Amino acid sequence: MKPVDPRLFHYARSTRRFFIISILSGSLTALFVILQAWFLSSILVDVIGNGTPLGSVSFAIMALVLTFAARAILIWISDTVATRSAGVAKSELRQAALSTLINQGNAGMSAGEIAALATRGIDSLDNYFSRYLPQLVLAVIVPVSIIVVIFTQDLISALIVVFTIPLIPIFMILIGMFTQQKVDRQWQTLNRLSGHFLDLISGLPTLKIFGRAQTQVKIIEKVGSEYRSSTMGVLRISFLSSLVLELLASLSVALVAVSIGLRLAEGQMAFSIGLFVLILAPEVYLPLRLIGQHFHAAAEGLGAADKLFALIESDQLDAVSGIDVESHVPIQITNLEVAHFGSENIALSSTTFTAQPGTVTAIVGASGSGKTTLLRALLGVIPIRGGSIQLGQTPIGEVSLDSWHKKIGWLPQEPHLFSSDLGGSPTIRGVVDLSGEASDTKIWEILESSHIAAEIRPIGLDYELKSGAGLSGGQLQRLALARALMGDPSVLILDEPTAAVDVASEMLIAQTLREFANENGIVILVAHRPGLLSIADQIVRVGNLELVAEISGDIGLHKDLNAVVPSGSRNW
């Protein structure tokens, strides 16, 4: 965590204006603090020391009141500007994150982590803008200005301040280093809680069917308790560190006071100067004490900002610039490795294979071995750690993301059937043709190639796909496959497209994919079921083993495939 991250000025441009205003505000605050101490000490010396009537110092009293009022107004203006700047900056950061997610994907972050980052994470920057950043500016300008003034009045007091004031930043750094671990743990626990809760909500019907919902309640309670414990740990450090900073500042001011008191008693210092310096001394340490307190309030926001910048700056394909990808070129993957987002843990171990035009490549492996990660790396939405992906003769890192995605038909395991139709329920026409520009002839042609046209003709293209509106899971999956084929792709990438369909639908989907490959297309899919494995020209196992086997015509299976082919399905 950096006190002022330069990336914040880049992705939230309004922060620059706010920072400049904070500098001006800090300079005026330093001036008002010095004037306030000067007027107050002058009044006290005249009235108490010299016995001057209050009427004779009315001008100084009025100036002191105006200084107090000006300082209060300045604080109000600073807080107002900080609040508005925080809102604008958060909006800019959300737009930058959303742009990254739309153009490049999520870089391996879970849906729960993204949701927590875009909501709670960015919102926690409020304290950073409204309290920490303005106080950071004050902590630089005010002490320096006051020390310069004290130097002109009393050299000994100035030296005491100069030698004691570094103690506060040193302890702040030590405390901050320890706090970062606690904040990171708090944020990781929140991400885990958010991700688990999101998965729980999406899978709640299945859990209820199998009577496992109550078990998840206990897991949520356990993770929630961990988050509560980590949050209390951060708060505990915050309170204790504030005590340490207060103690250091009090002892430092006490040293100045003792020095001034001894010299006043011995007649070595004028009362007016001693009082003026003594009033100024606490103001030197106050901004540093407050910045230590506000740092803990802003720590969560700074931790979330680090994650956000890692998402925005993840090493992915550029959406616009880059080389256009040619159609029907081999896809060569060599020793490909992918790490989990924000860590060094391997999500996909070394994998090597080549997908030629006119072939179907099936990806198999145990759960968690990196099958979906491999597909996402092919889509260009997550960075790769090692190895390479070649599209023809061009590395994937040098191609245009837009150009590459126009060549791809993508079908996830659970596709969302959103529509190009504005308002109302999505229609079959809108779901298949997201551009809204294709002719009915073209749509029916795609539906024919997906082997679902005969089932759609009785209800028509304008049939509304309301919740539970009559289409089976297999029909909806083939409808999603038709949408993937609508853009005339040269590559189809599919993540277990038959995981939740019946055998008849599986056979029709497999037939569609085989026909697509026979027309010189490339099909790369994650598959476990025999219906899809039967059409594969090569099977790649990810995990501990790399390339497993190639199937061609009546060539037998590689012995290592026995683990992934269901018993009794050798003739598939």
Side-chain angles (χ1 to χ4, degrees), residues 131-164:
R131 297 181 182 276
Y132 178 72
L133 192 56
Q135 196 61 48
L136 184 65
V137 175
L138 290 177
V140 174
I141 297 176
V142 173
V144 171
S145 302
I146 295 177
I147 289 174
V148 170
V149 173
I150 293 177
F151 256 114
T152 63
Q153 302 296 315
D154 180 26
L155 181 60
I156 295 177
S157 297
L159 291 176
I160 293 174
V161 172
V162 168
F163 281 110
T164 56

Side-chain angles (χ1 to χ4, degrees), residues 103 148 266 314 367 374 376 434 445:
N103 294 328
V148 170
E266 295 177 0
S314 55
S367 177
L374 172 59
R376 295 168 74 181
L434 292 179
E445 179 184 332

Side-chain angles (χ1 to χ4, degrees), residues 346-357:
I346 296 296
L348 173 68
S349 58
S350 181
T351 303
T352 301
F353 68 90
T354 299
Q356 297 286 350

Side-chain angles (χ1 to χ4, degrees), residues 33 74 90 140 146 157 166 174 177 201 286 299 324 391 397 416 544 550:
V33 167
L74 183 61
K90 290 191 300 180
V140 174
I146 295 177
S157 297
L174 295 176
M177 292 171 61
I201 294 300
L286 179 61
D324 288 342
L391 307 177
H416 298 284
N544 295 328
E550 290 189 3

Side-chain angles (χ1 to χ4, degrees), residues 497-558:
T498 62
V501 303
D502 53 55
V503 176
S505 296
E506 180 183 31
M507 293 176 61
L508 292 174
I509 291 173
Q511 183 179 351
T512 300
L513 299 179
R514 185 68 261 178
E515 291 171 353
F516 176 84
N518 291 340
E519 295 179 0
N520 206 36
I522 297 176
V523 178
I524 301 175
L525 55 89
V526 171
H528 287 148
R529 295 171 59 167
L532 291 182
L533 293 174
S534 64
I535 65 169
D537 298 289
Q538 67 173 349
I539 297 177
V540 176
R541 180 171 182 174
V542 297
N544 295 328
L545 300 177
E546 295 180 6
L547 183 62
V548 175
E550 290 189 3
I551 303 174
S552 178
D554 57 355
I555 297 178
L557 291 172
H558 190 283

